[in-house]
Amino acid sequence: MRAQRQPVTGLNDFSALIAELKKGVPSHCVLSRPEEKKPFECDGLTLFKEMPAIVVLPENEEQIIHVLKTCKKHAVPVVPRGAGTGLSGGATPHSQGVLLGVSKLNKIRHIDPVAAIAVVEPGVRNLAISEAVAQYGLYYAPDPSSQIACSIGGNIAENAGGVHCLKYGLTVHNVMRVRMITIDGDIVELGSAAPDSPGLNLLSVFVGSEGMLGIVTEATVKLIPKPEAATVIMASFDSVKAAGDAVRDIIAAGIIPAGLEMMDQRATQMVEPFVKAGYDLDAQAILLCESDGAPQEVEDEIQRMTAVFEKAGAVRLQVSANEQERLLFWAGRKNAFPAAGRVSPDYYCMDGTIPRKQIANVLTQMADMERKYGLRCANVFHAGDGNLHPLILFDANDPDEVRRAEDFGAEILELCIKVGGTVTGEHGVGLEKINQMCSQFTRDELDAFMAIKCAFDPEELLNPTKQIPTLNRCAEYGKMHVHAGQIKFPELERF
């Protein structure tokens, strides 16, 4: 298997490429001046920034095909971008490439309330689907915290989840069909509007591929009926360990909540002044546990949840009294990231997944890491499926704090792997976690990933150098992990 390489365009002057792009894309959709490209230099992970050579914002599928064929002809890398809310550097541009944004493809093409599906373009906002189908008593289940802004194309690229993914699944469980364009400009449809489709299940390979296999131009998504009733319990605990054990106990009791989220005391104290959700600020940790369904079903499940929490040592239980209070409880959880701006100049949001039984152990070790790196960390995450989202608080204007934040995040990911978890749950790998891929997977497994990549994109022009590490990178990263934490030749600059 050949090593992954950095594509070289061979272009010293992009003016000819720009002129050729404009033959199939309106001039106002091709951006080349520095001030036009500046807003696209990073995604939600602002630690990684790169100015693209060209930004193209096509308005339809035909224009996307033209862009891809032109870039293929000149061996120019293409980095797809949705709304730019991603948190792993998946949409970080290539300095010698084209950033291809799909935000202008934002139409909901068809809604079938009987079949409970919607056909949408990739630039449609996640929340816009639920808003459009609400009149039929339906909604789209995956609900990332950024759902007011993030787009379906980006959700597909990263296999996004949300607070209700424990019961209703991630994007891969709610997308039935994808229409995509390959680097050759060919149209390929994966999946089907039917319950199953013939051939290899390439749809589940494509979802979460971070734009490395093709560009989405249309998706058919599954809609579900809005529950008749929904209620949230806010359970307070006097230790993070007790809260973590309660998560384990809920699942062990055979209860699958619609959502099961944890916030530690630093997170609740950060969020409460911002949202005023009524969180228990004295608790070391709180759990938000939701039941939805028929009214009698919800009532019964709330009673069962209450019994589990009481047995697990909850010091306070508060059940949402009405729909307004339920939404307020969730508003605090969904606004945790922006609330971090009230207490820190910057934050680094991690994304790793661990077995539920390891939650208390991992959070305890993360508290030790706070002291080790001299940085604060607020924990707010999808406890029900073990998907951690630690928010490492730091100042990007202090280079030493940036270094410590990155090291802190890397150690969290390594710990996730050590306890039997994985380096990502819903944010993807991108540039952020490419080193930890060396720890989680063998070289044979990584080569298998690259083989799939090369089957779709043999020249490796689509979102290159993301997600799959090279042999050289893994070799160097491995040399940095030695006994007693001592790095050989520490005076040498690392990649």
Side-chain angles (χ1 to χ4, degrees), residues 206-221:
F206 186 83
V207 176
S209 61
E210 302 187 28
M212 298 176 66
L213 306 182
I215 310 296
V216 178
T217 59
E218 183 181 283
T220 301
V221 301

Side-chain angles (χ1 to χ4, degrees), residues 451-467:
I452 295 173
K453 160 73 170 167
C454 289
F456 283 83
D457 176 24
E459 286 82 15
E460 301 168 35
L461 294 174
L462 286 172
N463 217 6
T465 70
K466 306 279 179 66
Q467 196 178 60

